[in-house]
Amino acid sequence: MPSTLKPAVSYSHHELPEASQLLGLFRQAPWAKDRSLDDAKEMLQRTDLTICAWEGKRLIGLGRVPTDFIYRATIWDVIVDRAYQGQGIGTEIVKRILDHPQLQRVELFWLCTRRPGFYERLGFSSKEQTGMVWNRSKNSRLEEEKDEHAMRED
């Protein structure tokens, strides 16, 4: 009788994925689908802490943290392969970030999300801070519109 057991999911903060593996996950998310291989490589190199979920050698989840290791840490790009969602992998990634030994002095973790309920179940609150975003592409368009308007007035 063939085995129906799935390989176990393992987690690592020592083993960075190849950027091409990460792009496979990014292609599944509307907020990340247009990211490039070169940018993903550079992003991985410049991230302070990365928690990866693996099934064997297959990257199935990731969360990353830029931080000063004392006061603030920001959680970005928590993503789980669609085929593995609903199995607690995203929750485990976030818990491993919050419990990571290098981040124990951090007093405030911050994130942006389109899924607040997921993070509220893990103890995050939207009432603690006010977040603001400056978007380069939107602001560039605003500057171009201002320039066009100014040229018309001249």
Side-chain angles (χ1 to χ4, degrees), residues 12 14-27 35-45 50-54 56-62 64 79:
S12 171
H14 299 295
E15 183 182 355
L16 284 179
E18 293 292 323
S20 58
Q21 292 174 297
L22 183 54
L23 277 185
L25 292 179
F26 282 169
R27 296 288 181 255
R35 294 182 179 180
S36 74
L37 183 63
D38 288 339
D39 287 348
K41 283 179 187 176
E42 188 171 343
M43 180 223 38
L44 285 168
Q45 291 170 353
T50 304
I51 303 290
C52 296
W54 302 91
K57 294 190 179 285
R58 180 178 179 187
L59 179 68
I60 60 170
L62 177 133
R64 64 186 193 91
I79 187 167

Side-chain angles (χ1 to χ4, degrees), residues 6 28 58 80-87 89:
K6 287 186 173 183
Q28 297 179 30
R58 180 178 179 187
V80 175
D81 188 299
R82 282 188 193 126
Y84 294 83
Q85 291 178 2
Q87 298 178 33
I89 295 168

